Amino acid sequence: MNMVAQKAEIFEVGPRDGLQNEPNAITLAEKIALVDLLSSAGFSRIEVASFVSPKWVPQMAESAEVLAGITRNSGTSYAALTPNLQGYEAARNARADEVAIFASASEGFSRANLNASIEDSLRRFADVAKAAQNDGIPLRGYVSCVTDCPFDGPVAAGAVARVVGKLRALGCYEVSLGDTLGRGTPEKMDVMLKAVLDVSDPAALAGHFHDTGGRALQNVDVALACGVRVFDAAVGGLGGCPYAPGAAGNVATESLVRHLRAHGFETGLDVIVLDAAAEMAKAMRGT
Ligand code: HMG
Ligand code: MG
């Protein structure tokens, strides 16, 4: 009997969440080449830029140049991170197809990453949300530290659900749940997801799992069982977070695509292109 594959989507974040953490100087041409190769793999969405303070994340300082230099695929949305109105305006001027606001479920990480409490960050994001709505630019949301925080320790599931609800109320079409530290266990993930499902349909959620503890693929399985069908990943397992000490890279796109396929989920991505992009990403990292 032939099993009909269900659909799942991988949202590629390597050029942003991956490269932002790399201490090596990576040239603009290399960044553009990586995005252009990824564009031919069949992604609907690739996060390629981050309009944050260049003092905070120097590697993302050329984000406008990246968006100007890539060859855009008509079927792909090129996304950018925007922490405030200043970042949003820069992203819009650089013709980002969609933008993302990024909150935290823990106060310690919010202060380390955004220099603001959770409430203050949400106030800034409300300005971004309003502007994006006026301009007709789709808005995505992230919640970081959904199970553990490098500063505050374990994070309550209710705190995650609360921030997810606020981001959905601001108009985020999808909220990505970040295991920023990559230490989440399947058990914690299950408790967190069940709390979040009280405030959001699974169709408006994504999983964003870093792989520090080697459990990211198991956490994907937990999220699949809860009805989540979108997962962020970074080609070559690039990444970490400059403001989350000890965090390793995102789950690797080329591993996730094979894992999903083995579990009956088709992503439509070209694995040969992904393997080539993973090699390119690893060379950029110098590993
Ligand atoms: P601040 O220092 O409090 O900002 O930083 P400020 O408003 O006081 O402004 C200070 C200076 O920054 C001013 O310049 C501003 O113009 C400038 P000065 O007058 O000193 O020359 N500035 C900016 N410059 C460029 N773009 C901007 C911008 N905003 C202000 N948008 C701020 C506050 C939010 C800017 C800072 O904390 C920041 O940039 N944080 C971002 C940190 C970051 O990118 N972290 C990594 C991404 S998040 C993540 O990895 C998690 C995620 O992947 C999910 C997961 O894994 O869980 C999404
Ligand atoms: Mg991340």
Side-chain angles (χ1 to χ4, degrees):
M1 194 177 69
N2 278 341
M3 234 176 61
V4 180
Q6 296 186 60
K7 284 197 167 35
E9 184 191 343
I10 299 182
F11 184 119
E12 174 61 42
V13 296
R16 193 282 302 171
D17 204 10
L19 295 186
Q20 73 178 9
N21 197 48
E22 292 307 320
N24 298 341
I26 298 171
T27 66
L28 176 61
E30 286 178 298
K31 290 174 186 166
I32 291 171
L34 180 64
V35 176
D36 284 349
L37 183 53
L38 288 167
S39 286
S40 64
F43 291 103
S44 303
R45 298 179 284 168
I46 308 177
E47 199 164 72
V48 301
S50 180
F51 291 92
V52 298
S53 162
K55 287 184 191 140
W56 284 60
V57 187
Q59 194 67 264
M60 292 286 107
E62 293 174 320
S63 283
E65 289 83 352
V66 170
L67 277 160
I70 57 176
T71 303
R72 295 186 190 222
N73 181 342
S74 60
T76 307
S77 174
Y78 296 92
L81 224 54
T82 53
N84 52 20
L85 205 50
Q86 185 177 341
Y88 169 77
E89 282 164 2
R92 183 193 53 203
N93 294 343
R95 296 196 306 115
D97 295 310
E98 63 177 88
V99 296
I101 51 181
F102 50 108
S104 170
S106 73
E107 288 295 345
F109 186 73
S110 185
R111 288 188 187 282
N113 201 42
L114 293 166
N115 198 23
S117 66
I118 297 171
E119 275 320 304
D120 285 346
S121 77
L122 290 167
R123 266 191 284 279
R124 285 182 197 161
F125 294 145
D127 296 338
V128 176
K130 201 167 156 201
Q133 190 179 26
N134 283 341
D135 295 331
I137 296 183
L139 179 72
R140 194 175 193 241
Y142 285 96
V143 181
S144 291
C145 299
V146 296
T147 59
D148 299 270
C149 170
F151 308 103
D152 299 352
V155 174
V160 183
R162 190 180 150 273
V163 179
V164 170
K166 298 243 177 187
L167 291 177
R168 293 279 290 141
L170 285 179
C172 292
Y173 74 87
E174 181 176 283
V175 177
S176 176
L177 301 167
D179 177 11
T180 316
L181 198 51
R183 297 251 173 236
T185 60
E187 295 74 21
K188 285 184 183 179
M189 210 53 82
D190 190 52
V191 171
M192 181 278 295
L193 280 162
K194 294 210 163 111
V196 169
L197 289 175
D198 284 342
V199 299
S200 175
D201 193 288
L205 298 173
H208 177 112
F209 305 140
H210 288 253
D211 204 20
T212 317
R215 314 290 288 275
L217 291 174
Q218 289 174 47
N219 291 336
V220 165
D221 293 342
V222 172
L224 283 169
C226 289
V228 176
R229 293 291 179 270
V230 178
F231 296 96
D232 301 348
V235 76
L238 283 178
C241 176
Y243 294 100
N250 292 84
V251 66
T253 311
E254 65 278 9
S255 305
L256 180 57
V257 77
R258 290 178 168 92
H259 180 84
L260 288 169
R261 188 171 285 172
H263 287 73
F265 291 90
E266 190 43 64
T267 59
L269 295 170
D270 182 333
V271 285
I272 294 174
V273 176
L274 287 179
D275 286 342
E279 287 310 310
M280 186 187 275
K282 286 176 187 164
M284 287 162 79
R285 190 171 54 192
T287 57

